[in-house]
Amino acid sequence: MTNLKQLAAMLNLSQTTVSRALNGYPEVGEDTRRRVMEAALKTGYRPNLAAKRLATGKAASIGLIMPVSEGVGSDPHFGEFLEGLSEVAVRHDFHFVIAPAAPNDEVNALRRLVSGGSVDAVFVAYVKEEDARISYLKTASIPYLVHGRLMGDTHDYPFLDVDNARAFHQATKFLLQLGHKRIALINGPEEMTFAIMRRQGLEQALSEQGLTLPSHYAFSGRMTDRVGLEAMTRMLDMPERPTAILCASTALALGAVRAINKAGLTIGEDVSIIAHDDVLPFLRPENFNVPLTTTRSSLRAAGVRIADRLIARVHGGDTFPEQELWEVELIVRASTGPAPVNSK
């Protein structure tokens, strides 16, 4: 097994340069970094993590809290996000330290993770309207990044988020331009800020046309096809059913499509659907029987960006913006059409 000294001699570089190249330090030139990475891969070099930590004071680990509760299954959206994180982590030889926590104990779990010294940085996701995790991290002496935002205009912490309000505002405007006035929402968990912002975007677009979102046209829950099916079934049974639906995910839209098909209605004619597309590889909107119109933003790309930012911050070479708000693209497909002239 090649060690650091042998790898450095092979490349005619100092051990310090090789170590810095392997650990992503910004002062190492890209050509040198590439040579070192290729040689490490070819020779099967793996650093001694204990020695590395003693030498650098770094654990080469990113920490995250994983809420767990009985009866709640895994979340494919979070899994796709972790794929993006992993893509960058493996390139920099970083690891994850995942600390499970009860939903009401996330702050304490985060505090234990940070104080334990086993991680160099942490990130938090699924931001809630009242989120004590962010308040704690503002006082902690560790690099961190928030995937999402708190409500309000004051954001004095590092984050990456999607402009959820604007995404659903634009989607609703598009439906209004098609003549729809009875527009409903199947949303994510109501305590999550991304869901709150999506609802606000929809309501703002309706308000601009003198319309409102009736309470019986708004559903929220876990982003699964079952929730989408149940919500859509209930709406189709209403005396005055909606002519258009906004879904917070393609998983919710999958269930909504099943309900519409079961009712013998035609998507894009009797009922129009727009879904938010997190670019899940197993649930592509273009592969639905009627391809879905979507607002699109890749969760994997967000994971890549967050890992890049955190690792750069650990190494002291962070040149990224402190706060990033990504725009969302509206992709028009066959699931949206003019409002039906004679709707139930």
Side-chain angles (χ1 to χ4, degrees):
M1 197 71 158
T2 303
N3 59 33
L4 180 64
K5 182 177 181 180
Q6 292 168 331
L7 186 62
M10 180 190 309
L11 293 166
N12 197 26
L13 296 171
S14 70
Q15 292 183 49
T16 300
T17 298
V18 171
S19 177
R20 288 178 176 272
L22 290 168
N23 288 291
Y25 282 77
E27 62 267 28
V28 178
E30 192 55 41
D31 288 344
T32 300
R33 188 190 317 281
R34 188 178 301 108
R35 282 182 59 213
V36 171
M37 297 302 291
E38 288 175 354
L41 184 63
K42 183 177 180 180
T43 60
Y45 170 77
R46 300 287 295 176
N48 182 305
L49 293 180
K52 179 179 178 180
R53 184 170 181 178
L54 285 173
T56 66
K58 307 295 183 185
S61 296
I62 296 172
L64 62 109
I65 301 297
M66 179 70 73
V68 293
S69 58
E70 187 176 354
V72 176
S74 60
D75 184 351
H77 301 86
F78 194 60
E80 182 66 7
F81 178 78
L82 284 180
E83 287 285 346
L85 276 175
S86 301
E87 180 182 321
V88 178
V90 73
R91 194 160 65 236
H92 292 275
D93 204 21
F94 262 63
H95 304 269
F96 295 143
V97 175
I98 300 177
N104 60 352
D105 194 45
E106 290 183 59
V107 175
N108 287 329
L110 186 58
R111 185 178 288 111
R112 291 191 294 270
L113 184 63
V114 171
S115 63
S118 60
V119 298
D120 300 313
V122 296
F123 83 94
V124 295
Y126 293 119
V127 178
K128 300 175 183 177
E129 189 171 8
E130 301 289 337
D131 204 315
R133 297 174 302 170
I134 297 175
S135 299
Y136 163 69
L137 285 171
K138 289 180 183 179
T139 68
S141 56
I142 191 170
Y144 71 95
L145 192 56
V146 177
H147 185 210
R149 286 176 295 158
L150 294 169
M151 303 301 297
D153 297 324
T154 302
H155 304 297
D156 55 347
Y157 49 88
F159 72 78
L160 183 149
D161 196 13
V162 167
D163 195 341
N164 289 292
R166 188 171 188 275
F168 272 42
H169 182 273
Q170 294 297 102
T172 305
K173 279 184 64 176
F174 176 66
L175 291 171
L176 291 166
Q177 290 165 1
L178 290 172
H180 294 277
K181 294 184 178 180
R182 301 204 303 269
I183 301 173
L185 173 67
I186 306 177
N187 207 356
E190 60 185 1
E191 71 275 13
M192 300 296 178
T193 58
F194 77 84
I196 297 170
M197 292 176 186
R198 289 176 187 178
R199 177 167 178 156
Q200 288 180 342
L202 184 156
E203 291 179 324
Q204 178 62 35
L206 290 176
S207 176
E208 291 166 1
Q209 298 299 315
L211 302 171
T212 60
L213 176 68
S215 59
H216 57 279
Y217 275 10
F219 293 81
S220 63
R222 295 186 65 234
M223 295 194 293
T224 66
D225 61 328
R226 180 176 178 178
V227 170
L229 173 65
E230 293 173 352
M232 192 74 248
T233 299
R234 288 169 62 185
M235 283 189 280
L236 292 178
D237 287 338
M238 292 176 181
E240 192 173 51
R241 70 181 181 229
T243 63
I245 311 294
L246 279 173
C247 294
S249 74
T250 49
L252 287 169
L254 180 63
V257 165
R258 288 169 54 199
I260 294 168
N261 290 338
K262 186 177 180 180
L265 300 173
T266 302
I267 295 170
E269 296 181 12
D270 299 309
V271 183
S272 289
I273 296 184
I274 298 179
H276 183 70
D277 177 22
D278 293 302
V279 196
L280 303 178
F282 58 89
L283 200 57
R284 297 191 178 278
E286 63 270 23
N287 292 339
F288 279 60
N289 286 339
V290 178
L292 287 180
T293 295
T294 59
T295 57
R296 182 173 67 187
S297 182
S298 169
L299 271 175
R300 180 184 287 256
V304 166
R305 183 69 164 187
I306 285 174
D308 278 333
R309 286 182 57 178
L310 282 174
I311 292 173
R313 183 164 291 193
V314 169
H315 290 317
D318 183 6
T319 59
F320 294 98
E322 181 79 350
Q323 299 164 340
E324 294 183 88
L325 187 61
W326 285 5
E327 294 297 327
V328 174
E329 185 179 9
L330 179 65
I331 310 295
V332 178
R333 299 187 180 92
S335 70
T336 47
V341 176
N342 298 313
S343 56
K344 179 180 175 181

